[in-house]
Amino acid sequence: MNRYVFYNFILVSFINLMLYVPHILIKFRYKGAVSSMLIGIFIGTVLVYMYTSAMARFPGKGLPEILKLYCPKWLVSINMIFFGIMWWFATTIVVVAYAVLINRFFNPDANSIIILLMLVLACGYAATRSTLSVMFVVEIGLIVNAPIILFVLFKAARSKQLNWDAIHVVANYVTAMPTLTCIAAASFVFTGYINLSLFNRLFPPNFRFKFRFIYPLFGAMIMLITFFVPIGLHGTEGVSQYIYVWSLTADSLLMQYGFIERVLFLFLIVYLNLTLVYTMSGWHQAMEFIKSCFPSSKPEIDSPKTPLSNYVIVGIFALLTIAYLIMTNEKMNMYITSYWLVVRLFVEFYVVVWVFVLSRRRSKAA
């Protein structure tokens, strides 16, 4: 069971490469990005330990059930609708960005709306499955794709083209004052723990989280590679020319063995899989949060029959996602993502502190 926590953690850690997080940090590389990453590591580590400790006191219960034990139903419903919107939007900006990326690198003649429609149909159907089935898909997706991503990151970090002088130049700006936007972007790498808000339902009584020190270490390693490797490969000034910086970074790498020469195609195919898994997981969680507002709702982790409400809610998510693509462009999506990352940081802090306080009350009552 402990592996479920780790899978969600590494899923979000990897997906940050597609969420403009590297672009945001690199944009502020001279203006506080390095110091913000250090603060982000500290904040992420504290939130991980607080939330896992709190949720361990409520085995088998998700966030809706925990809040209903201590809070009025109307307050829980308002928060669940808000959290559902936050979880839906978290995945929407990723799948929309990836639809544009496919249009840009794979088939420039294709319509981005058609590409997005195909993606949301696949994600939407998977999101309507049971919580246990969704968790199994996340597990399989990461077992298949994570080794390839780690290989690409390792290959980039060991590249002979890596200019360590450029990395040292940027690292020397560690004394620049941090910014809220960079702190929010850096802390996103650690935000996989928040998926316990739903997947804690899968854990049996007397469950305890083990090896939690791995999460901050893994998140810090991914974030440092995400930020410094593109700078080393493209230079301190050239790196700022790209929005999808890691797609161009992967395109600068070559494989001298196998039938795939350009790493870019392997990188994009793997991230297509992760985008589908991440969107499926996020929509499923958002769906369950909204369903918890219904008077007759009962949490089930492996229901034999898919309720009609699942299709209705996820169908609305799909339509709103397509509408978001139509009404925005890449530049607007990047700005919205920057502000959303800040809002996400405060929302997660709010959730973690709330549940942590309730867990302390539960321990005193026991």
Side-chain angles (χ1 to χ4, degrees):
M1 290 297 179
N2 203 64
R3 68 184 189 275
Y4 293 163
V5 188
F6 187 61
Y7 289 147
N8 280 283
F9 189 87
I10 62 175
L11 174 62
V12 179
S13 298
F14 285 150
I15 211 68
N16 87 91
L17 272 71
M18 304 301 300
L19 194 64
Y20 303 118
V21 170
H23 177 77
I24 293 170
L25 292 175
I26 289 171
K27 180 180 178 182
F28 291 91
R29 62 196 180 281
Y30 303 134
K31 301 177 182 179
V34 180
S35 56
S36 297
M37 288 194 297
L38 297 178
I39 296 174
I41 291 172
F42 173 77
I43 293 175
T45 302
V46 171
L47 294 180
V48 166
Y49 272 84
M50 286 181 63
Y51 204 57
T52 51
S53 297
M55 296 302 284
R57 299 180 184 274
F58 301 98
K61 297 184 183 297
L63 182 61
E65 299 88 77
I66 296 172
L67 298 184
K68 287 178 181 179
L69 291 175
Y70 301 95
C71 305
K73 290 184 178 180
W74 62 268
L75 180 61
V76 176
S77 297
I78 292 174
N79 279 275
M80 286 301 104
I81 292 174
F82 177 69
F83 295 156
I85 295 173
M86 286 292 297
W87 260 258
W88 162 76
F89 193 71
T91 51
T92 291
I93 54 182
V94 174
V95 73
V96 166
Y98 198 84
V100 175
L101 195 65
I102 292 176
N103 176 256
R104 185 69 50 81
F105 287 96
F106 275 146
N107 191 356
D109 297 326
N111 190 324
S112 298
I113 299 177
I114 301 299
I115 296 173
L116 181 62
L117 179 62
M118 297 172 63
L119 294 178
V120 298
L121 286 176
C123 297
Y125 176 77
T128 59
R129 304 302 95 186
S130 67
T131 301
L132 189 60
S133 299
V134 168
M135 193 63 247
F136 284 155
V137 173
V138 172
E139 182 176 10
I140 294 171
L142 283 172
I143 289 174
V144 172
N145 296 286
I148 300 175
I149 296 175
L150 291 173
F151 168 74
V152 172
L153 295 178
F154 176 78
K155 186 173 179 63
R158 294 293 302 273
S159 174
K160 295 180 180 179
Q161 303 173 10
L162 200 67
N163 187 341
W164 286 97
D165 289 336
I167 294 175
H168 291 157
V169 168
V170 175
N172 286 334
Y173 284 86
V174 67
T175 56
M177 289 296 292
T179 64
L180 181 59
T181 301
C182 288
I183 293 174
S187 64
F188 177 78
V189 180
F190 301 86
T191 199
Y193 69 88
I194 203 67
N195 289 344
L196 281 173
S197 300
L198 180 72
F199 293 119
N200 198 63
R201 292 175 176 177
L202 301 175
F203 299 146
N206 302 320
F207 175 79
R208 291 294 180 269
F209 294 103
K210 300 178 181 179
F211 309 110
R212 286 184 293 177
F213 67 90
I214 296 177
Y215 306 148
L217 291 177
F218 183 85
M221 180 191 70
I222 294 297
M223 182 169 58
L224 293 175
I225 293 176
T226 297
F227 178 74
F228 283 113
V229 167
I231 293 173
L233 289 174
H234 302 293
T236 56
E237 296 299 323
V239 72
S240 63
Q241 304 298 316
Y242 311 117
I243 294 179
Y244 303 105
V245 61
W246 262 96
S247 297
L248 274 300
T249 299
D251 198 25
S252 66
L253 304 174
L254 294 176
M255 297 177 65
Q256 299 177 352
Y257 38 84
F259 57 90
I260 300 176
E261 182 181 10
R262 296 180 65 185
V263 178
L264 174 65
F265 297 118
L266 179 64
F267 182 82
L268 292 180
I269 290 173
V270 168
Y271 263 94
L272 171 62
N273 298 337
L274 284 189
T275 299
L276 294 174
V277 171
Y278 178 69
T279 304
M280 170 205 67
S281 175
W283 283 11
H284 178 78
Q285 293 175 73
M287 175 192 72
E288 289 293 330
F289 290 154
I290 293 176
K291 283 173 59 179
S292 67
C293 301
F294 301 160
S296 59
S297 68
K298 293 182 180 179
E300 294 186 41
I301 62 172
D302 192 19
S303 56
K305 185 178 180 181
T306 303
L308 179 62
S309 58
N310 289 19
Y311 294 107
V312 174
I313 296 172
V314 172
I316 294 173
F317 290 165
L319 293 175
L320 291 175
T321 301
I322 295 173
Y324 178 79
L325 174 62
I326 295 173
M327 294 186 295
T328 60
N329 53 42
E330 284 181 90
K331 187 176 181 180
M332 188 182 301
N333 193 23
M334 186 180 66
Y335 281 122
I336 293 173
T337 302
S338 300
Y339 288 111
W340 174 83
L341 286 169
V342 176
V343 174
R344 174 209 58 83
L345 177 61
F346 286 104
V347 169
E348 287 189 11
F349 185 78
Y350 162 69
V351 173
V352 170
V353 172
W354 193 1
V355 177
F356 187 78
V357 171
L358 294 180
S359 70
R360 297 294 100 180
R361 184 185 302 180
R362 184 183 181 88
S363 62
K364 289 181 180 179

